[in-house]
Amino acid sequence: MKVVQAFLAQPGVLLVLKTLASLVGVLLVVQLARWMNLGGDVRIRDEDHAGALADEAMCGFVPVAVGLDKARIGALVRDAQGRVMLIRRHGSHFAARLLESHAGVRLDQQFLTVSTGDSRFGTITLNLGPDAQAWAASLRRLEG
C-alpha cells in the first residue's frame, strides 16, 4: 500500500494517469458512436435511392428522370408532370426542394449550380457530367 502511495506521490504520475483515463474515455465514445451508426459519409446510393428520397420529401412524387451528382451528394429528380426536385445532403440526412424557376441555375461545362432562393437551403453545384447541358435546358422550361 505504501508503495502505491509513494508511486502516486511522484510528480507527473497523476497527470499521466488522468491523460490515459481521458484517452480511454474518448475511445469509448468513438466506439459507441460507431456502434450506433452515428455520423459517417452519407451519399445517395443510386437513382432508385434518389427517387425514394424525392417520394419521402413529397408523397406521390414519382421520378421519370434522375440526374445524380458524380460525388452522390445531390440530385435533380423530374416527375411526369414536369416538376423538378433538388435533393442535397444536409448533415447526415437529405433535404429537398421543388424548383420554382430557372433563375438560380448556372451551367459551367459539366457542372450545374442550382440555388432555390431559400437561404436556409443554400446553393449546390452538381457534377452531372455530359447530362448537365440537358438538365440546364430542361430547367429553362420552368416558370419564372
Side-chain angles (χ1 to χ4, degrees):
M1 188 69 163
K2 289 185 179 188
V3 173
V4 172
Q5 288 176 345
F7 178 72
L8 292 176
Q10 293 180 7
V13 171
L14 284 178
L15 180 63
V16 169
L17 290 176
K18 287 179 183 179
T19 303
L20 287 175
S22 179
L23 180 62
V24 168
V26 168
L27 292 174
L28 287 174
V29 169
V30 167
Q31 188 60 35
L32 180 65
R34 283 185 182 158
W35 179 71
M36 294 174 65
N37 291 325
L38 299 176
D41 190 19
V42 180
R43 305 283 175 137
I44 300 173
R45 291 186 298 274
D46 53 21
E47 291 184 0
D48 291 335
H49 185 215
L53 290 169
D55 182 54
E56 185 178 305
M58 178 183 278
C59 187
F61 192 95
V62 179
V64 294
V66 176
L68 188 59
D69 176 66
K70 299 271 186 207
R72 298 177 298 133
I73 60 169
L76 289 170
V77 183
R78 182 182 305 108
D79 70 355
Q81 298 172 351
R83 298 178 299 179
V84 178
M85 184 178 292
L86 173 62
I87 301 171
R88 71 171 298 165
R89 183 170 63 180
H90 182 72
S92 62
H93 300 286
F94 291 95
R97 295 286 189 279
L98 276 178
L99 296 179
E100 303 286 326
S101 74
H102 64 279
V105 177
R106 268 190 1 257
L107 175 65
D108 182 17
Q109 296 179 358
Q110 297 186 353
F111 297 93
L112 194 62
T113 301
V114 183
S115 176
T116 62
D118 181 357
S119 61
R120 294 172 295 160
F121 193 76
T123 301
I124 184 169
T125 300
L126 302 171
N127 181 357
L128 300 176
D131 295 338
Q133 293 178 354
W135 275 99
S138 72
L139 291 175
R140 284 189 211 108
R141 295 185 195 108
L142 293 176
E143 296 178 17

